[in-house]
Amino acid sequence: MSEQARKHQRVARILGREIRGGALRAGSRLPGEHALTERFSVSRSTVREALRTLADEGLVRTHPGIGSFVSFDGAPLDNRHGWKQALTEHGVAPETTVLRLETVRDAALAAELGTESDGFLAVDRMRALPGGVRLSLERSRVPLHPGLAEVPGTGLVDGSLTATLAAAGLVVASGQQRATAVPLNEADAERLGRPAGTSFLQVTRVGRSPVGAVIEHVVSLLDPERFELRVSFGESGPD
């Protein structure tokens, strides 16, 4: 890797960390190129390459003649206890709308998960900001453990699937999660208030009990401007 590449990646890494950490807020204008060259002791071309890298990562938008502005207002979220709690812990109070609450049969999903029964509690929910911006669409499927078949009639405990599972003695202890970018189909785009084909982050999560039994299968569509997937590995090094 060339020295020039190392320099612009270092600048992008530091600025990206400040954006993700909240030091640079969504909508705020980044310091100008001259200020950034002085701060990092690099050339204007290095700064421009760093800004292009940040733009490719969806963190900033650059307007010629005006400047670069932070476009990312998300935060890395720990969703072990659900997206609502994860968002709340980061100072976001989403409004939740339950779109579907019923029992269903899904032989294909049962075969995929290896469950004995093909009966599931289906819970579809929409999360939105108080202003109406829709953040996520989540489809949860829970094998019909004892006590769950009645939930469509009694409702979720405190409006929470996590609380409902806990009331039934079901606690997620481990699991697997994978993420990919997908274009929204027409139906989901309409629900989320976006154009069809808009790229969203799709996260599929399987939660298991302490003995390995499947507790829940959740497929979430997440606004990539407000959620990110972050993976850490190795040892931290100097900037």
Side-chain angles (χ1 to χ4, degrees), residues 25-89:
R25 298 288 185 180
S28 64
R29 185 180 184 277
L30 266 65
E33 289 183 1
H34 179 70
L36 291 174
T37 60
E38 290 192 342
R39 174 185 174 184
F40 293 106
S41 299
V42 295
S43 67
R44 283 181 179 267
S45 62
T46 296
V47 167
R48 289 168 184 163
E49 282 297 322
L51 293 175
R52 275 193 284 270
T53 297
L54 294 174
D56 290 342
E57 294 176 0
L59 300 180
V60 304
R61 292 192 179 95
T62 298
H63 303 277
I66 301 176
S68 297
F69 296 80
V70 177
S71 59
F72 174 78
D73 66 352
L77 304 176
D78 178 356
N79 72 319
R80 287 175 293 177
H81 305 295
W83 291 117
K84 181 177 181 180
Q85 181 172 329
L87 286 163
T88 300
E89 289 173 354

